[in-house]
Amino acid sequence: MHPPHRPAPGAAPALSPVTRPSTVDLITVELRNAIYTGALRVGAPIREIEVARQLGVSRGPFREAAQRLVAEGLVVATPGRGLSVRTIGKDRIRPLYAARTMVETTAARAAVDTATADQVAAVRSAHDELVRADATHDALRVGAADLNVHWQLVAASGNPWLLHWMSTLIVEVRIASFTVSEEYVVRKDAAEAHADIVERLEARDADGLEAAIRANLDDAVMRLLAPERFGSESLEEPRPLPPPRLDPLHL
């Protein structure tokens, strides 16, 4: 007799139906993106009725999605005051980037060993987009393209846990950038600053890749903690930006 959790030889395995993302999943993604883009501002209250109406969803699923972001640490729930977008001040920059460094260097070494040609090409493609973003002098576009190079590098590791953590970390990096400065500041030479990372991955040089990542992130910390030292080299996007409306979900 076979154990009940194993199919008999030759029998079809028991598979669960493939399901579409739930409404709560979609709301969670939309809220996370709104925090990332600045549509929901750091430290600002999240007005449940207003935001749920903009999304075209009921308050029940909205609350469940918001609680997921509370669990991720992107939203703060304060008794008697409701929900607000988290802030990350200068005192938390170094710990935040220490976490980024651990995730990215661990992923980088795995990617050197196991990344497919397509995964490496995706990192190169992300860098190509960063080159194009640099040419626009659009600080928010450059910042997004910069973070996407790092996200694609972690994705190239093939480790879903590292990628999950990175997906939260890059939103926290945006929160930190929006918290510590009235301007969103990025370096003008972002593409050049990331070239070594991509080239080291393509060369399958683990030690060189780790060193390039550490140098890049150490520089980012200094720019957040002492932006005045780099003002002549940076692009600035005035803050606050005109708040884009949340897009209604098409369910």
Side-chain angles (χ1 to χ4, degrees), residues 15-102:
L15 298 177
S16 299
V18 175
T19 57
R20 297 174 59 187
S22 69
T23 300
V24 175
D25 293 333
L26 296 173
I27 297 170
T28 303
V29 170
E30 187 68 18
L31 292 176
R32 190 185 293 112
N33 288 341
I35 294 170
Y36 179 79
T37 62
L40 291 175
R41 304 197 179 286
V42 294
I46 300 175
R47 295 180 175 84
E48 178 183 308
I49 296 175
E50 178 183 341
V51 177
R53 178 182 54 78
Q54 287 190 41
L55 292 173
V57 299
S58 61
R59 294 169 66 182
F62 176 86
R63 288 173 179 169
E64 185 175 343
Q67 286 305 314
R68 290 187 184 182
L69 296 187
V70 171
E72 289 183 22
L74 303 179
V75 169
V76 177
T78 305
R81 297 179 61 184
L83 302 171
S84 61
V85 180
R86 182 184 177 189
T87 59
I88 300 177
K90 287 188 174 182
D91 60 323
R92 305 301 295 165
I93 297 295
R94 291 190 186 278
L96 170 60
Y97 271 77
R100 268 194 76 179
T101 300
M102 291 179 66

Side-chain angles (χ1 to χ4, degrees), residues 7-241:
L15 298 177
S16 299
V18 175
T19 57
R20 297 174 59 187
S22 69
T23 300
V24 175
D25 293 333
L26 296 173
I27 297 170
T28 303
V29 170
E30 187 68 18
L31 292 176
R32 190 185 293 112
N33 288 341
I35 294 170
Y36 179 79
T37 62
L40 291 175
R41 304 197 179 286
V42 294
I46 300 175
R47 295 180 175 84
E48 178 183 308
I49 296 175
E50 178 183 341
V51 177
R53 178 182 54 78
Q54 287 190 41
L55 292 173
V57 299
S58 61
R59 294 169 66 182
F62 176 86
R63 288 173 179 169
E64 185 175 343
Q67 286 305 314
R68 290 187 184 182
L69 296 187
V70 171
E72 289 183 22
L74 303 179
V75 169
V76 177
T78 305
R81 297 179 61 184
L83 302 171
S84 61
V85 180
R86 182 184 177 189
T87 59
I88 300 177
K90 287 188 174 182
D91 60 323
R92 305 301 295 165
I93 297 295
R94 291 190 186 278
L96 170 60
Y97 271 77
R100 268 194 76 179
T101 300
M102 291 179 66
V103 168
E104 291 192 34
T105 55
T106 300
R109 288 190 171 274
V112 165
D113 289 339
T114 65
T116 65
D118 285 346
Q119 288 171 323
V120 174
V123 179
R124 170 57 71 182
S125 179
H127 186 263
D128 290 343
E129 173 54 33
L130 180 55
V131 172
R132 291 189 289 271
D134 265 358
T136 70
H137 305 293
D138 179 331
L140 285 174
R141 180 174 171 183
V142 172
D146 174 327
L147 290 173
N148 191 45
V149 171
H150 292 269
W151 191 89
Q152 292 291 350
L153 176 64
V154 175
S157 73
N159 186 313
W161 284 273
L162 291 174
L163 190 58
H164 173 73
W165 296 328
M166 186 63 179
S167 297
T168 298
L169 283 168
I170 62 174
V171 182
E172 291 178 310
V173 166
R174 270 292 178 90
I175 289 174
S177 297
F178 290 151
T179 301
V180 303
S181 176
E182 292 185 357
E183 283 114 9
Y184 185 74
V185 181
V186 295
R187 56 189 302 168
K188 287 184 177 179
D189 62 344
E192 180 182 346
H194 287 75
D196 195 35
I197 291 175
V198 182
E199 291 165 3
R200 297 288 184 173
L201 174 62
E202 290 172 336
R204 305 284 176 162
D205 176 3
D207 291 340
L209 177 55
E210 178 172 342
I213 292 169
R214 289 184 181 276
N216 182 278
L217 297 183
D218 287 346
D219 179 85
V221 169
M222 293 308 301
R223 288 174 184 274
L224 284 169
L225 294 179
E228 65 280 359
R229 293 176 53 187
F230 305 95
S232 62
E233 301 175 342
S234 302
L235 299 170
E236 297 182 357
E237 187 80 28
R239 299 285 298 164
L241 298 169

